[in-house]
């Protein structure tokens, strides 16, 4: 039988205990003026988060899923349009595409970074599609559908290789919506701009999730879209609020998709600590790398491409027989996760898309081998060493059996 949890996968209690007074003050403010929806706390957080992301505008919404959906709608995805993304992501990415009326098309990931492979994207565009220069539209040959948007997912806190993706988007008139739900504060070195750029500042818009376990998490549900495009920000403000720019004047049908004031207030408190928390995650990731240095032949550790500064939302390793590794760690009271075990193109929900096993070999290989190890700013090196020792013990026992 597994021991009691000694090393949790994630500790959400400690940071909230540490910030308890400030967080409770937010509730008192909201109670004192009954400002529960919209108002100064939401506007202040939107300003602060836009600044944090180096974006001009931020629109607070009630989840990362709605952030994506509203960005697709405001970004011009029309019913039946193709929206390209990866099969190695959380299903919210593709749910939002469908909910916005789009049609999902998958492109495989890069084996090192686990993010959208720009070369495979180029092949899809140049081999499977044709560009109608007069109409300025990219059309998929087989389905005759218009390709409208690309969604690079900055998975595990590492950004996708944005320069080539943005170049292709510009060439073929496609909108790029970053899925930055796991990447608050991640950075990308753009050779084109010769500058580091923040997640959420490169695409036409970017979606963030504030689900509690995220690098910046609410105490409940929350999300935001960042953009440098004022018209797009205005449109999303309408979409999140029943299509109204003025109370009871509805230009379009929208949604009830607002960010609560109390959540916004809590997010402002926590945002002040985000840079420090991200640094702790990076330091922990680097010590994991070092602790695993001798196990490299049997354990694949995350690769941080030269063009990214990851924020390690997750620390994901690859190993043969990952279920046995998870059992070995569970026996020692160490919790783990798998993000994600079944590629989206093989999920029952997407049978109708017609993809078969083997369609995306990198995603399929990666999904069969990944294990997420404990990673949170308060983990500390003592507990981390225990995790690493147990992982190395497992890997070495396998080597002994094999030799
Ligand atoms: C990559 C990715 N996209 C989208 C989402 C959706 O965010 P939310 O849970 O806030 O709707 C998540 C959150 O789990 C995510 O990890």
């Amino acid at each position: 039988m597994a021991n009691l949890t000694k090393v949790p996968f994630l500790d959400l209690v400690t940071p909230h205990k540490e910030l308890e007074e400030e967080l409770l003050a937010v509730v008192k403010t909201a109670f004192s003026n009954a400002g529960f929806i919209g108002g100064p706390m939401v506007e202040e957080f939107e300003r602060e988060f836009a600044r944090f992301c180096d974006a001009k505008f931020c629109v607070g919404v009630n989840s990362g899923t709605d952030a994506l959906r509203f960005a697709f709608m405001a970004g011009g995805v029309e019913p039946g349009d193709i929206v390209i993304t990866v099969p190695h992501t959380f299903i919210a990415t593709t749910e939002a595409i469908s909910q916005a009326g789009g049609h999902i098309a998958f492109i495989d990931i890069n084996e090192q970074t686990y993010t959208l492979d720009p070369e495979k994207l180029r092949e899809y565009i140049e081999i499977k599609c044709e560009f109608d220069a007069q109409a300025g539209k990219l059309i998929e040959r087989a389905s005759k559908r218009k390709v409208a948007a690309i969604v690079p997912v900055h998975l595990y806190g590492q950004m996708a290789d944005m320069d080539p993706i943005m170049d292709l988007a510009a060439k073929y008139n496609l909108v790029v919506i970053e899925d930055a739900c796991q990447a608050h504060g991640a950075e990308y070195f753009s050779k084109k701009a010769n500058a580091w750029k923040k997640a959420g500042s490169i695409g036409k818009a970017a979606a963030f999730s504030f689900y509690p376990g995220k690098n910046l998490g609410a105490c409940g549900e929350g999300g935001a879209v960042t953009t440098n495009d004022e018209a797009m920000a205005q449109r999303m403000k309408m979409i999140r609020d029943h299509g109204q720019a003025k109370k009871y004047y509805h230009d379009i049908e929208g949604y009830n998709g607002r960010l609560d004031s109390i959540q916004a207030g809590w997010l402002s408190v926590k945002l002040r600590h985000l840079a420090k928390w991200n640094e702790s995650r990076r330091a922990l990731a680097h010590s994991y790398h070092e602790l695993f240095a001798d196990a490299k032949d049997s354990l694949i550790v995350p690769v941080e491409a030269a063009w990214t500064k990851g924020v390690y939302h997750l620390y994901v390793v690859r190993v043969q027989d990952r279920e046995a590794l998870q059992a070995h760690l569970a026996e020692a009271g160490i919790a783990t996760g798998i993000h994600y075990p079944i590629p989206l193109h093989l999920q029952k929900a997407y049978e109708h898309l017609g993809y078969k096993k083997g369609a995306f070999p990198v995603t399929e290989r990666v999904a069969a081998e990944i294990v997420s190890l404990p990673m949170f700013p308060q983990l500390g090196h003592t507990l981390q060493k225990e995790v690493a020792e147990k992982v190395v013990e497992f890997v070495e026992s396998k080597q002994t059996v094999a030799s």
Side-chain angles (χ1 to χ4, degrees), residues 62-66 68 89-90 92-93 153 155 179 181-182 208-211 214 221-223 313 340:
N62 64 4
S63 68
T65 312
D66 269 0
L68 284 162
T89 178
F90 182 53
T93 314
V153 181
L155 203 71
D179 183 336
C181 287
Q182 299 189 3
F208 289 87
S209 163
F210 302 129
Y211 187 76
K214 297 292 197 257
E221 303 282 357
H313 171 58
Y340 301 91

Side-chain angles (χ1 to χ4, degrees), residues 79 107 124 145 217 381 391:
I107 303 286
Y124 167 80
R145 291 176 190 271
H381 291 291
V391 172

Side-chain angles (χ1 to χ4, degrees), residues 72 80-87 89 91 93-99 101-107 124 140 145 344-345 349-350 352-355 360:
F72 298 145
D81 282 357
I82 287 177
V83 177
I84 298 168
T85 194
V86 286
T89 178
I91 193 170
T93 314
T94 46
E95 282 174 334
I97 295 174
S98 306
Q99 288 163 5
H103 180 87
I104 303 155
F106 289 122
I107 303 286
Y124 167 80
E140 189 188 63
R145 291 176 190 271
L344 289 183
H345 66 286
Y350 293 126
H352 64 279
L353 295 177
Y355 291 108
F360 303 105

Side-chain angles (χ1 to χ4, degrees), residues 379-396:
L379 175 60
H381 291 291
T382 312
L383 287 185
Q384 176 181 38
K385 263 184 85 180
E386 286 189 36
V387 177
E389 275 165 20
K390 283 286 161 194
V391 172
V392 171
E393 185 180 282
F394 173 83
V395 167
E396 282 175 354

